[in-house]
Amino acid sequence: MTDIVDRATRSRMMSGIRGRDTKPEIIVRKYLHAQGLRYRIAPKDLPGKPDIVLPKYHTVVFVHGCFWHRHPGCRYAATPASNRDFWQIKFKQNLARDIRVRSQLAKHGWKVLIVWECEVSTERLQWLVSEIRSIHQP
């Protein structure tokens, strides 16, 4: 199957995808702030540059895009029909990096929480806040 747009258009579309400050990230950050939780954004001194870091709770939050991080069973995690080999390699590398980063953070005592972009809802954000607050504070 071929792509519905030409290579130049697809390249332009893909280059416009943000790596940080995405709509789901901003929603999560605003909710955490409204709940009185304070955080740092994407510090470069931690493996994987987590989207949100709550130093007081020694917790990091990744807001994963379903497509890029392959949310199991999610309709947004579809593999493009064109250039399948490229995409399968790309997704495999992303998943391996996710596992490596979570392992490195856990080894250094960080609790890692993940929120999927399709799950950014009040219910899921309430769960996130309760998970963070349940962590013993130093």
Side-chain angles (χ1 to χ4, degrees):
M1 183 177 225
T2 59
D3 202 344
I4 60 172
V5 295
D6 62 80
R7 286 179 86 86
T9 302
R10 176 66 61 204
S11 178
R12 184 177 41 74
M13 290 166 65
M14 295 304 284
S15 69
I17 296 172
R18 294 172 168 263
R20 56 182 287 189
D21 297 333
T22 63
K23 200 176 283 188
E25 280 181 43
I26 291 169
I27 291 168
V28 172
R29 292 191 321 225
K30 284 182 177 182
Y31 189 85
L32 293 177
H33 192 271
Q35 297 299 311
L37 296 169
R38 299 302 177 251
Y39 51 83
R40 291 174 43 211
I41 301 170
K44 294 179 176 142
D45 60 336
L46 287 176
K49 293 188 270 182
D51 299 313
I52 300 167
V53 177
L54 297 113
K56 177 178 177 179
Y57 297 93
H58 216 62
T59 299
V60 299
V61 178
F62 287 98
V63 182
H64 278 341
C66 298
F67 176 77
W68 295 106
H69 297 274
R70 312 312 294 159
H71 186 196
C74 180
R75 65 186 174 112
Y76 299 119
T79 301
S82 62
N83 209 1
R84 279 180 107 49
D85 291 340
F86 165 80
W87 286 109
Q88 289 174 342
I89 292 168
K90 175 70 174 162
F91 295 143
K92 186 177 179 181
Q93 291 170 340
N94 286 357
L95 293 175
R97 184 181 61 246
D98 289 345
I99 291 167
R100 187 177 61 250
V101 165
R102 284 195 305 262
S103 175
Q104 290 171 338
L105 288 164
K107 192 168 104 178
H108 288 96
W110 290 92
K111 175 157 177 130
V112 179
L113 300 174
I114 296 172
V115 176
W116 293 97
E117 72 174 318
C118 70
E119 295 179 336
V120 175
S121 65
T122 303
E123 182 179 302
R124 184 65 173 173
L125 296 177
Q126 288 171 344
W127 168 86
L128 179 64
V129 169
S130 68
E131 280 292 306
I132 293 167
R133 289 193 171 137
S134 72
I135 297 166
H136 184 277
Q137 297 178 29

